[in-house]
Amino acid sequence: MRCIIFTLLLCNALLLKAQSLELEHWKIINSSEVTDNDADVSSLSYSTANWYRATVPTTVLNALVKEKVYPDPRVGLNNYQIPDVSDEFNEKMGLAKYNYLKSNRNPWQAPYWYRTERLIPASYKGKKVWLTLYGINYRADVWVNGHLVADKKEIVGMFRRFKLDITSYAKPGSTNCIAIKIYQVDHPGVPTPGTQLKVFGPVRGHSYDIFKDETLKMSGGWDCAPVVRDRNMGIYQKVTLDATEEVILQNPFVVTTLPQKSTSLADVNIRVEVKNTSDKKISARLDALITLVNEVKFPTYTKYMEGTLRPIRIAQNIMLNAGEKKTIEFSSKDFPSLLIKNPYLWYPNGYGKQYLHHMKLSVKLGNRVSDAKEFDFGIREVSTSLNRVGDEYGRVYYINGKRIFCKGGWIQPDMMLEESKKRIYDEARLMAEANINLISSEDMPSPSETWFESFDKYGLMWWHVFYQCFRMMPGTETANNPLDHDLAVNCVEDMMLRYRNHPSIVTWIGAVEVLMNENLYRKTKDKVNSLDATRLYLSTTSHHWDVEGLTPYLKEEMPTGTTDDGGPDYNWAPSRYFFDKVQEVHLQMFRNELGMPSIPMYNSLKKFIPTAEDTTHVNSPIFPLDSIWAEHGAWDVSNYCYRSYDNAIRTLFGDPKNTKQYADNAQYINADGYRAMFEAANHRMWDITSGVMIWKLNSCWPDVCWQIYDWYLNPNAAYYFSKKAMEPVHIQLNANDFSISLINASHETLENVTVTAKVINNDMKVAWEHSQQVTVSKDCYKEITKVPQCGKYSYNYFVKLELRDKEGKLLSDNLYWFYSQHMDFFWFTSMEKPKLKEEVSVTKEEDEYVVSVCLKNESSGLSHFNHLTLQNARGQEISPVFWSDNFITLFPGEKKVVTARVAVSDAGEVAPTFVLSK
């Protein structure tokens, strides 16, 4: 009998879980094209024969691009074939002629209808029916079957969810109509100037008024983002239908601590709001079930985690008055099983495994499950401290008591907020395989849960930023932005309630680079403290304004221990510069932004630069750069961005004969520059530095600036050399004084490892050599010796470093190239690479191909900087591909084995082909 009851309960729970429906297939139209009233539009009998298809999530512009109404604005200058929401800008740029509406009204100023028809299951009968909007921009009227459920005064703000009770209007067992009228942001602004068409010219600026709203500021243009013509109006996250009984669960929160300050015992605390939505008193039971996740699912493979945990089952009876909401807590004081001995912990990438646990909360009315919540969480404890050097401070992070040297950077969403589960996981994987452990975004206040799920699984710590940079600035007319402080704080509240169970989130951040006025500062800080005291809260990441005069209220939080103030900034500099700045200490202890331009690989470049193969202007002093390049990142103001980078390419490698040569030569600059940023932080790890973050890791559209992998998810040389610099055990050459430094960021001692260093001339003869066996303690660096900076060196020469363990296994290697007199590497562009012997094997594991490549240099010459790619059956390069290493250099007699993994869905049913670049 007990088995039968259990089976019935299980079926009931599974049925409840299956009742969540995602509404994906919609049609859209500009409301100015509709003459019928809103109630009629949202009625089932209404015809949408002339409407456009839209797969939600989607912004309006993104849907119209997919429907071929407008060209892809990411390519070339296509964005200037789309009218802007600003009539003033359209008149200035002549864009009104591209208006697709027959009425000639601005296509983005009137609201858009999103409309869908969906069968609501008969199983919803007798239940509460909920419609949830996970993200709209910017206001909305919501209609169901001809009835207005909520209007634009209630449904406002890009960074909030809205859960609406539609029980009175829904018709379970029948097809229903849901229609949502989406309104433009309140202040879309005028792009000023909105163009970036001159090589080394001024930046495109912003649509300043957009800073007043709780919307995405980069939609109005930024130095690294185009002006998005519709300002990303639309339904940019999923829409779901759910059914529950009268009692619902809201805002669960799992807090984990290590009460003995060791990893031998974890304390799990569970809190959840239980609400009675009926008009009668109800008795219920709240159940919690915790299990260990042994199979971690990724889109193309599964990671199997060892370990066992007896499922933790606890329950509590509750009584709720009509309409009452209670916060119920499960603590180890009342439920000793929540004290877990020898727990399986979550650690950041490179510092341990990412164990996850699954939580299932269900509230039951007798034998019926009224509502349930399921999610994964990690057992881990975050703490921080401040390291002091003179008058400078650096923030230090600890996870489960382990000190974490933070390495990573910033990411952006796609310009039109296009995303898929696989693409999100691919980006997280690219970052994790590059040995990154800390990331953030100033342009993603409310990303979909998939982002955090991927960060949790890959061990990517996340700084969560509430207010995007430079929307407000102390001492300026923008200081009081956003205009609606209550709305802003409501958005903050929903972000925290939505994401706080993710172990990857280690810090809540008020604003990047700037600070709110005192009213919003106080409200935000109070809200954060009331919702989550388990993580660090930083009101700002920087303080380059007059704190004493403009924001004296910030003094209570000083020092913050992070900054992006001062140099290095965002342009090219010689490698030694980054080391010299660290040695200055000032503003370098936890450097949270620095960067340099980074041209993608040629195969990516020619996808968005239509003039890439044009050599008409090859004799121009700026060839191959033109207005398209400028719009896609080749701008500059006071040597702030692209000019010095371009100059370095031409000075070191000569004027290019074609675009491919220019892009190929740029990879040397990418490799050396990005490696130097991370190695500079490495070389005084903990003595000075405790973290470094680059601007940026990716791009929101195809770009030639600030990235280690491009919009097509194709890494350039910066990626692989950054990956090397960020490895936990690393051998490097310090560019400022030629010291060889062994970096041990791991928490294991390196015993009796051997460091080998060679200077190799361009005739392949060794000009200097050193070998030494050393032991290096955990979590520190050790300088071994110095490479002579002069000697019998050829005009171009190499410094080759290797680190091997006691058994001779290679732990780390590194290669640097130098000039002995004249500042050039012309030899690299003229040398002929010997043909390498290739041994390639391809196997299949789950939904991935695994390609193993053994490369051998059997010649007497150098094979330098070989780029490895995979092609599909049509001869097209595949991306993303996850290479163990790339841009391979082999000296005479050397060989190297590298592996690559690629999704079958990306490669096709025919196994990929290995291609060695020329």
Side-chain angles (χ1 to χ4, degrees), residues 163 248-253 271-275 325 371 373 500:
K163 186 170 184 175
I248 63 172
L249 300 177
Q250 298 178 139
N251 305 320
F253 188 24
R271 279 170 272 166
V272 63
E273 295 171 7
V274 184
K275 183 177 181 180
K325 180 174 71 175
D371 194 12
K373 299 286 185 187
R500 61 185 177 176

Side-chain angles (χ1 to χ4, degrees), residues 436-465:
I436 285 165
N437 60 35
L438 176 63
I439 55 176
S440 186
S441 178
E442 62 184 44
D443 301 306
M444 294 168 62
S446 59
S448 68
E449 279 75 3
T450 304
W451 285 99
F452 291 107
E453 290 166 5
S454 70
F455 300 160
D456 293 345
K457 292 176 182 179
Y458 281 113
L460 299 171
M461 297 185 295
W462 175 261
W463 277 2
H464 193 79
V465 178

Side-chain angles (χ1 to χ4, degrees), residues 270 286-290 312-316 330-331 335 337-338:
I270 307 163
L286 179 63
D287 287 6
L289 171 64
I290 299 174
I312 300 172
R313 292 184 171 88
I314 52 181
Q316 191 173 156
F330 292 107
S331 70
F335 301 93
S337 59
L338 292 175

Side-chain angles (χ1 to χ4, degrees), residues 865-877:
F865 221 58
N866 293 285
H867 182 223
L868 318 181
T869 64
L870 296 181
Q871 290 184 353
N872 61 23
R874 298 184 299 278
Q876 300 166 327
E877 184 179 347

Side-chain angles (χ1 to χ4, degrees), residues 163-184:
K163 186 170 184 175
L164 305 173
D165 183 352
I166 63 168
T167 308
S168 300
Y169 315 116
K171 299 175 182 178
S174 303
T175 300
N176 289 245
C177 176
I178 298 170
I180 303 176
K181 184 186 275 190
I182 297 291
Y183 292 80
Q184 181 56 261

Side-chain angles (χ1 to χ4, degrees), residues 296-304 421-427 429 433 457-458 844-850 880-882 901-907:
V296 181
K297 299 291 186 180
F298 297 84
T300 56
Y301 68 98
T302 304
K303 182 168 68 174
Y304 297 93
K421 179 177 180 179
K422 181 180 178 300
R423 182 181 175 91
I424 290 169
Y425 271 86
D426 284 344
E427 289 209 50
R429 184 176 184 179
E433 293 198 5
K457 292 176 182 179
Y458 281 113
K844 195 173 179 182
E845 294 181 8
E846 295 190 59
D847 293 324
E848 292 186 346
Y849 293 110
V850 182
V881 177
F882 302 95
R901 288 180 173 267
V902 61
V904 173
S905 60
D906 290 328

